[in-house]
Amino acid sequence: MSSKFNRVLGKWDIFTLSFGAMIGWGWVVLTSEWILKAGVMGAILAFFIGGFVVALVGLTYSELTAAMPKVGGEHVFSYRGLGLDASFFCTWFIILGYVSVCAFEAVALPVVLGNILPLSQGEALWNFQGNPIYLDWVLIGIVGSVLIGVINFFGVKSAAFIQTVFTLFILVAGLMLIFGSLFSPNEAISSGEIWGTEKISTGLLAVIVMTPFMFVGFDVIPQAAEEINLPFKQIGKILILSVLLAIGWYTAIIYSVGTTLSSIELEASTLAPADAMQKIYSGVWAKNLLILAGLAGIITSWNSFFVGATRAIYAMGYSGMLPKAFAVLHPKFKSPIVAILFVTLTSILATVFGKEAMNWLVNAGGLGIVISWTLVALSFYRLRKKEPLMPRPFKVPFGKWVGIMAFVCGLGLFYLYLPGNPSALNGIEWTIVACWLVIGLIFYFWASRVYTRKGMREKMDDHLES
């Protein structure tokens, strides 16, 4: 069977899909928290450590994507390495991660716009967990969800174009902050706050556990592998390059903000990079520019994870693990229309819960991503042993050791979500994960009866051989 998708994505398209998703907008709101927890140097060290872990996982993805450039990414990696059941769990949990990010962005959009537009502060529609939900906030989230869905309906090339425009805007604003800080008064350096040695011992771990969710996004590339028009070896190189550049981005942003604002200014700031921009360039326009970059970051991460979620859902529909309707492609635009509708409606649903839902979505989705990463690392190791002669256009040096280290690191990240740890999930977040798993298992057992496990394997084998 030949691919049903159009190969229209070039180097820059897949780089911006990956890098644009990783830099997103989290740095706009969380930089002050990282610095206050671990100090400037502690936060930078945390991102180097977290980046190293993600780079290991990224290496496994790079080799597997080049070897098996099929839509769904993790879906085919885990099937070939670990079998049918592992493929279901791996793909279903990565979808949880992607869908949760899309829903998160629908809630975050009005939050960021509220910093530059006079949104409602009057009577709320309702309250949820003590947070008022306003009509215009809900409408903004709904409109954003629909627009992202429409952009993706017209095909991945239109989504890639939007991604390019907004990623370039983020880069311009971020580079203005980074280079501007080199020529501004360095508050943290002059006061000795930059080292924050007393904070490193207490805050390092708290920042490390946040890093995987800042870097997630490189794994969107395998989801759209059948739409990439590049030699397979180059796909792996671009994937790992995007991870390395994201490490550099985060560490540079932390240094710039931490050396521009004093600890008192950091504690008083809700958007530290924006306040740092205003201080560097002595104008509110600079602050607003950075806030707009944060808005662009919402769009880039939302768009990337929308692509990833819909392609993973399509892959499960095609293999029979989800209803066949999810594998329907638009005849002209080659977009998975039912999967697009599903993710759009999920994003809209999240808007009715307000800001409180953001933490739940990030944490529950983060666990799903870590589970999937760990299974991919195990698949990578198993395939190195089971199929040593598999053609690997991009082959990772010392592959078995890389696979082992990536798997162990994945288990370590998983452990941090368990009760008793600083980043443990709360009851609502565990409920989200449990409900998602139950829904998936219902689909899976139903599909096993309708399509049979033999039929699923035949579909997967046909997909791999095409």
Side-chain angles (χ1 to χ4, degrees), residues 248-451:
W249 172 269
Y250 280 115
T251 55
I253 291 293
I254 291 169
Y255 182 85
S256 300
V257 173
T259 57
T260 300
L261 301 179
S262 66
S263 60
I264 295 175
E265 290 170 323
L266 284 168
E267 289 174 356
S269 176
T270 55
L271 298 175
D275 289 331
M277 277 280 279
Q278 181 174 355
K279 185 173 182 179
I280 291 169
Y281 294 100
S282 302
V284 176
W285 66 268
K287 178 177 182 177
N288 290 336
L289 180 69
L290 208 291
I291 292 173
L292 288 174
L295 180 62
I298 289 179
I299 302 302
T300 59
S301 58
W302 197 347
N303 191 45
S304 288
F305 289 113
F306 200 101
V307 171
T310 53
R311 271 55 182 180
I313 291 170
Y314 167 86
M316 293 191 80
Y318 177 81
S319 66
M321 293 184 188
L322 291 179
K324 291 291 186 183
F326 285 109
V328 173
L329 294 179
H330 189 276
K332 179 180 179 180
F333 302 117
K334 302 300 182 182
S335 53
I337 51 179
V338 178
I340 287 172
L341 181 62
F342 173 78
V343 179
T344 300
L345 292 176
T346 304
S347 301
I348 290 173
L349 177 64
T351 63
V352 305
F353 296 102
K355 292 188 291 184
E356 187 67 21
M358 290 197 295
N359 286 333
W360 304 338
L361 292 166
V362 169
N363 293 335
L367 176 60
I369 290 166
V370 167
I371 290 172
S372 184
W373 282 359
T374 305
L375 288 172
V376 168
L378 183 58
S379 301
F380 172 89
Y381 176 75
R382 284 288 304 276
L383 285 169
R384 274 297 186 101
K385 294 190 68 174
K386 189 171 69 172
E387 299 187 47
L389 300 181
M390 174 195 289
R392 292 173 168 86
F394 181 91
K395 190 168 185 177
V396 176
F398 308 104
K400 290 183 180 179
W401 286 108
V402 169
I404 291 171
M405 288 190 294
F407 177 68
V408 170
C409 288
L411 291 178
L413 290 174
F414 176 78
Y415 170 76
L416 295 177
Y417 286 94
L418 300 179
N421 292 299
S423 56
L425 300 187
N426 62 33
I428 294 177
E429 292 157 358
W430 279 116
T431 300
I432 293 173
V433 174
C435 289
W436 183 261
L437 179 59
V438 168
I439 292 170
L441 288 173
I442 290 172
F443 275 132
Y444 191 46
F445 287 126
W446 171 81
S448 297
R449 289 181 174 273
V450 175
Y451 306 116

Side-chain angles (χ1 to χ4, degrees), residues 21-228:
M22 283 189 283
I23 61 175
W25 78 290
W27 58 278
V28 178
V29 294
L30 295 175
T31 301
S32 60
E33 182 177 347
W34 301 331
I35 297 171
L36 290 171
K37 282 181 181 292
V40 176
M41 299 309 296
I44 290 175
L45 179 60
F47 269 83
F48 270 119
I49 295 172
F52 173 74
V53 174
V54 174
L56 287 175
V57 177
L59 284 170
T60 68
Y61 269 82
S62 296
E63 178 171 301
L64 293 173
T65 302
M68 291 173 279
K70 302 294 180 181
V71 65
E74 294 90 346
H75 193 51
V76 291
F77 304 160
S78 52
Y79 171 74
R80 189 156 178 175
L82 301 172
L84 203 62
D85 294 333
S87 179
F88 163 76
F89 284 107
C90 185
T91 315
W92 189 241
F93 275 114
I94 201 67
I95 293 172
L96 169 61
Y98 292 161
V99 169
S100 69
V101 172
C102 293
F104 173 90
E105 305 297 6
V107 180
L109 181 60
V111 174
V112 174
L113 282 176
N115 284 278
I116 54 177
L117 297 176
L119 300 184
S120 290
Q121 295 298 325
E123 185 176 352
L125 292 175
W126 57 81
N127 284 272
F128 188 79
Q129 294 284 310
N131 291 304
I133 313 298
Y134 299 105
L135 176 61
D136 51 357
W137 287 52
V138 173
L139 290 177
I140 288 170
I142 292 174
V143 170
S145 301
V146 173
L147 285 176
I148 293 293
V150 169
I151 289 169
N152 279 269
F153 170 78
F154 286 109
V156 73
K157 190 64 179 177
S158 64
F161 173 76
I162 297 297
Q163 192 77 2
T164 294
V165 172
F166 283 99
T167 299
L168 286 173
F169 182 65
I170 299 169
L171 284 171
V172 169
L175 290 174
M176 284 179 63
L177 170 62
I178 292 167
F179 287 106
S181 70
L182 299 177
F183 303 99
S184 66
N186 293 318
E187 300 284 350
I189 291 178
S190 60
S191 64
E193 292 178 6
I194 186 172
W195 301 109
T197 52
E198 74 285 351
K199 294 182 179 180
I200 292 179
S201 59
T202 57
L204 183 65
L205 182 61
V207 179
I208 288 176
V209 297
M210 302 173 74
T211 57
F213 321 114
M214 298 299 106
F215 288 116
V216 66
F218 67 87
D219 40 3
V220 170
I221 291 179
Q223 301 299 341
E226 289 186 30
E227 295 161 278
I228 297 173

